[in-house]
Structures are given as C-alpha cells and as structure tokens.
Amino acid sequence: MSDLATVPPGFTPHFRKSPLTDPWEPLYSRRTEAGLDLGLVIAAAHTNSRGFAHGGMISALADNGMGLACGPGLAEDASVITVSLAVDFLGAGRIGQWLEVACRATRVGTTLCFAEAVATADGEPCARAHATFRVIRKAA
C-alpha cells in the first residue's frame, strides 16, 4: 500500500475501476482544466524483471487516461474506444516513485477524438503517448 503522504494534492482514489487495473491499486486520479491525471506510487507489482515501471502498465494507464480526458467533450450518450495508441519511452520509473500520467484531449469530434499524455516518475519524463479514439454511441 502507498503512503497517502506521497500522493500529491488533488488526487483521489480513481473513479473508474477495471479488472485490468485492480491489481495496480491504489490508483489515483484528478480532473484538471486540461484533462485528467492518473497516478500511483510504483511498487514491485508495477515493475518488469529489471525493477522499472512496466511499459505495458504505463501504456494502459495512458490509454485509460486519454480516453477519459476525451469524455467531457462528448455527447451524453457517447463513449470512446481506442483505434490507435503510440508510446515513446523516455526514461524509467522505479519502486517508491510517484508515477503520474497527465492526459489531455487535443481534439474531440463527433466520430474521432485525439489525445496525448506525458508520464513522469517523480517529475522526470519517462514516457509520452498519443492516441486516436472512435466515438461510439451507447446502446439505449
């Protein structure tokens, strides 16, 4: 479990639970003017065999956050699904560091949305991502 003193101000337990992210708990989020930030304190369960934050986890968090960042610009009966996701890894996050994925929508349309994210570990860049999402209408 993480020490709540290490969680930056404004973050609360993430509101969107998922079977994929359940093992990564506690996971935190905060809404910003620009979009949505996700964060966690890196623990052994978040790492690869070298002890670095796993790229797959960072990718999944970026995908999740970018999709949620598109949400406020959508019609009430719409949601998004990922069409494409690209991630560039710039550094490494280590156990005990605060991993933060800052996500923002760059364009929200009626059929497609575009978003970007920057992941940092204790403020140092470790990844950047961008994605395209398809807007779908929820079943009535």
Side-chain angles (χ1 to χ4, degrees), residues 90-104:
L90 311 170
R94 292 176 174 76
I95 292 174
Q97 290 184 306
W98 173 254
L99 178 71
E100 186 168 315
V101 185
C103 306
R104 73 180 187 94

Side-chain angles (χ1 to χ4, degrees), residues 26-53:
L27 182 61
Y28 300 92
S29 63
R30 71 176 172 196
R31 290 263 180 211
T32 67
E33 284 186 31
L36 179 88
D37 298 339
L38 292 175
L40 55 77
V41 176
I42 301 171
H46 306 129
T47 63
N48 59 27
S49 62
R50 289 180 298 268
F52 301 141

Side-chain angles (χ1 to χ4, degrees), residues 51-124:
F52 301 141
H54 196 285
M57 180 198 61
I58 294 170
S59 300
L61 291 176
D63 182 41
N64 179 277
M66 289 186 290
L68 292 171
C70 291
L74 298 173
E76 244 182 73
D77 67 339
S79 64
V80 296
I81 55 174
T82 308
V83 173
S84 68
L85 171 68
V87 183
D88 298 316
F89 297 100
L90 311 170
R94 292 176 174 76
I95 292 174
Q97 290 184 306
W98 173 254
L99 178 71
E100 186 168 315
V101 185
C103 306
R104 73 180 187 94
T106 56
R107 183 171 184 280
V108 178
T110 56
T111 57
L112 292 175
C113 296
F114 303 88
E116 61 188 20
V118 174
T120 58
D122 282 352
E124 292 296 318

